Amino acid sequence: MTTNTPSDTNVGDSTSGAGTSQSLDFIRTVVTDDLKTGKYEGRVHTRFPPEPNGYLHIGHAKAICLNFGVARQFDGLCNLRFDDTNPTKEEMEYVESIKDNVRWLGFDWEDRCYFASDYFEQLYAYAVQLIEKGKAYVCDLSPDEIGEYRGNLTEPGRDSPHRNRSVEENLELFERMRNGDFQEGERTLRAKIDMASPNIHMRDPVIYRIQHATHHRTGDTWCIYPMYDFTHCISDSIERITHSLCTLEFEVHRPLYDWFLDELELYHPQQIEFARLNLTYTVMSKRMLAELVREKVVDGWDDPRMPTISGLRRRGYTPAAIRNFCDRVGITKYNSTTEVALLEHSVRDNLNKCAPRVMGILHPLRLVIENCPEDFVDELDAVNNPEDPSAGTRKVPFSRVLYIDEKDFNEDPPRKFHRLAPGREVRLRYGYFITCTDVVKDDDGNVTELRCTYDPETRGGSAPDGRKVKGTIHWVSAEHAVDAQVRLYDRLFNVPDPTDVDEGGTFKDHINPDSLDILEGCKVERSLGEAKHGITYQFEREGYFCLDSKESRPDRPVFNRTVALRDSWAKIEKTQQQQHKPKRGDSPK
Ligand code: ATP
Ligand code: MG
């Protein structure tokens, strides 16, 4: 299922190509060296290997940009491979969303979309080969017993009582496992390695388990399924991947991958681990994201508050902004947490270059220009993007009745308030100077309307007599405006690390109850009657907004605020730099 329209036409990439940072991080340095020494006959072949058990998130974007980016930079290839070894958690919906997301991010696997399930027959043959070599055995311990026998970090494990079965018996039992003769959990196939290994992953890991479940691609062909560790390294080998890039937690699995490939005498890709992306105010595990979806804390995987690619897209983030963010974060060996403000900064930075400017009023206040005739309409020229002259201009209609934003008027203005107030003159953006002459209130004393005059001599925003005004405010013509609903989003969690919970607590205890604010009756300029899906606009002085791909209708547009204008990143960056500066008195050693 894809819920977004394909026409994403905001551009403004600051890098030369998608995610192709030309600088050399430690992985690109290894690749460069391998190319020099001819290690893989000059080939560079990477892969992005998602499990289709959820939607991709911004952390996956980092892995996508790295794998496809390295391939692109070094004239290599990158496969998309679904690691679909768990039939109970996987669905075609996820496969489709993942393909859609990778494409949207600007990457292309060409004709190389593979599924680990395509290798099931071959994997089975490799398992048989291990049995024949005396390197794998069928074990009758239950999953709990296997856990008990495994030992822990300080104690070695104990050998399974079935460890020394004959090759013949193992072959027969494994075949019967395949034929469906046993119940789930009754038997497993295990690699015969070393129950005393300091690396727990080497203590006779399970490589096949029985699961009487229908697989989303192979149907009921199989009732035994290979484990991830066995499948992953062999899939990489089958696809002749040169550099198998994965996150740090797989470092401890590497000896096991090497063991499988060595025992089976298979081609060895080089695995290189990098730090996963963590973001403040965000949870990134698919399990947690799935929980939010299942419990309807959010409106689906693509809820604009979700850190999923689909959510960010629906929110109005651009592929270029996400790629630039990944470039900025870079690739390191050390786990750390990135400020979500940096992601927001990347979005603003990109949208500032490419977002068309428009005017939208979120909290409308009616304003009548008394010296303007009833039927007067002046089509004013407005600049579409001051950062991009090629974007041209558009017409915005000016007429007798306008809307301005409530917050741009103050009856009793404090000293630094330069916007509209009784008796004060301000400039209407792209328009005229207006002066507030009267304030209309309801019985409760709320301001319901402003009465103003305009100076016809100030068309275009300056006065021939040279008089200045301090404030410029945005506005729309009431007669021409389009009614819209606007959704303002705040962070989904109200603490920097939502996974840091008290005993008995859950990450959901930190959900921000005010993460969504729906504004009805907003008034947006006429041109937005033809707003396009997939384009993020700047509502001047308010932030960036895009049509909601699910809820918006032609007769009632719904806009999501992508991000507000104020950027907190510069301040955070400065503080971080100060923290890292040597303190006075620190003497260099
Ligand atoms: P999660 O831990 O979020 O549930 P996962 O690691 O199980 O996700 P996979 O589908 O296995 O999800 O991930 C596909 C690829 O994306 C893997 O190579 C994985 O290392 C990488 N990846 C997943 N999360 C991140 C992250 N936060 N930062 C960078 N890469 C990631
Ligand atoms: Mg995984």
Side-chain angles (χ1 to χ4, degrees), residues 201-319:
H201 299 283
M202 300 296 274
R203 294 185 188 170
D204 291 11
V206 171
I207 56 179
Y208 264 89
R209 66 200 184 291
I210 298 170
Q211 264 182 302
H212 292 281
T214 306
H215 186 276
H216 69 109
R217 295 187 77 244
T218 56
D220 294 321
T221 309
W222 295 90
C223 63
I224 54 171
Y225 290 93
M227 300 301 286
Y228 178 86
D229 276 343
F230 183 63
T231 311
H232 187 79
C233 58
I234 295 179
S235 304
D236 276 350
S237 177
I238 292 173
E239 293 174 19
R240 302 195 72 74
I241 298 305
T242 57
H243 300 85
S244 173
L245 313 178
C246 62
T247 38
L248 288 179
E249 67 275 19
F250 290 100
E251 192 164 4
V252 285
H253 297 237
R254 180 148 39 100
L256 177 59
Y257 298 166
D258 286 338
W259 187 90
F260 286 133
L261 299 180
D262 285 343
E263 292 298 338
L264 293 165
E265 295 174 46
L266 295 178
Y267 161 87
H268 266 255
Q270 176 173 353
Q271 173 168 311
I272 312 175
E273 304 87 10
F274 63 95
R276 61 169 49 229
L277 175 75
N278 300 301
L279 274 185
T280 55
Y281 298 95
T282 309
V283 297
M284 207 93 88
S285 115
K286 267 188 271 187
R287 182 184 59 74
M288 291 178 187
L289 296 176
E291 199 170 321
L292 296 175
V293 172
R294 201 171 51 244
E295 296 179 6
K296 301 204 176 346
V297 175
V298 294
D299 164 37
W301 285 96
D302 65 350
D303 184 297
R305 292 165 293 179
M306 290 281 269
T308 52
I309 313 264
S310 299
L312 297 174
R313 177 178 180 180
R314 188 170 158 200
R315 176 88 172 248
Y317 281 43
T318 56

Side-chain angles (χ1 to χ4, degrees), residues 364-370 400-404 409 420 436-442 446-452:
L365 174 59
R366 208 175 126 92
L367 182 154
V368 179
I369 301 191
E370 296 191 305
R400 181 179 159 87
V401 183
L402 311 178
Y403 289 109
I404 64 163
F409 173 76
L420 205 56
C436 178
T437 52
D438 203 2
V439 180
V440 182
K441 295 182 183 174
D442 64 13
N446 301 313
V447 177
T448 54
E449 187 177 292
L450 301 178
R451 295 268 152 179
C452 296

Side-chain angles (χ1 to χ4, degrees), residues 86-243:
N86 189 347
T88 57
K89 291 206 168 147
E90 293 158 5
E91 288 172 30
M92 278 317 275
E93 175 192 344
Y94 298 138
V95 170
E96 291 310 321
S97 76
I98 289 169
K99 285 183 174 174
D100 186 49
N101 287 167
V102 174
R103 246 185 249 119
W104 178 78
L105 276 173
F107 298 106
D108 184 5
W109 55 88
E110 295 167 324
D111 56 353
R112 295 178 312 281
C113 171
Y114 301 120
F115 291 83
S117 53
D118 292 339
Y119 310 138
F120 279 174
E121 199 60 59
Q122 202 166 350
L123 288 160
Y124 181 83
Y126 285 137
V128 168
Q129 218 173 302
L130 285 179
I131 297 173
E132 285 168 344
K133 274 188 85 175
K135 296 291 181 179
Y137 61 96
V138 173
C139 180
D140 305 355
L141 294 181
S142 69
D144 285 347
E145 287 166 332
I146 290 181
E148 284 161 29
Y149 274 71
R150 190 177 291 127
N152 53 39
L153 286 177
T154 48
E155 282 172 40
R158 281 177 292 139
D159 284 358
S160 158
H162 316 107
R163 198 171 198 261
N164 294 318
R165 274 186 164 137
S166 69
V167 169
E168 292 67 34
E169 191 184 358
N170 280 320
L171 286 172
E172 190 208 316
L173 285 172
F174 189 46
E175 196 175 337
R176 289 184 57 201
M177 278 170 65
R178 176 182 185 162
N179 292 341
D181 288 357
F182 307 116
Q183 299 297 309
E184 281 183 20
E186 221 181 309
R187 290 201 156 89
T188 53
L189 183 72
R190 298 176 67 180
K192 192 170 177 176
I193 309 180
D194 178 8
M195 287 307 292
S197 170
N199 181 342
I200 295 205
H201 299 283
M202 300 296 274
R203 294 185 188 170
D204 291 11
V206 171
I207 56 179
Y208 264 89
R209 66 200 184 291
I210 298 170
Q211 264 182 302
H212 292 281
T214 306
H215 186 276
H216 69 109
R217 295 187 77 244
T218 56
D220 294 321
T221 309
W222 295 90
C223 63
I224 54 171
Y225 290 93
M227 300 301 286
Y228 178 86
D229 276 343
F230 183 63
T231 311
H232 187 79
C233 58
I234 295 179
S235 304
D236 276 350
S237 177
I238 292 173
E239 293 174 19
R240 302 195 72 74
I241 298 305
T242 57
H243 300 85

Side-chain angles (χ1 to χ4, degrees), residues 8-25:
D8 296 288
T9 45
N10 278 125
V11 281
D13 213 338
S14 69
T15 52
S16 51
T20 55
S21 167
Q22 298 299 310
S23 60
L24 290 188
D25 50 57

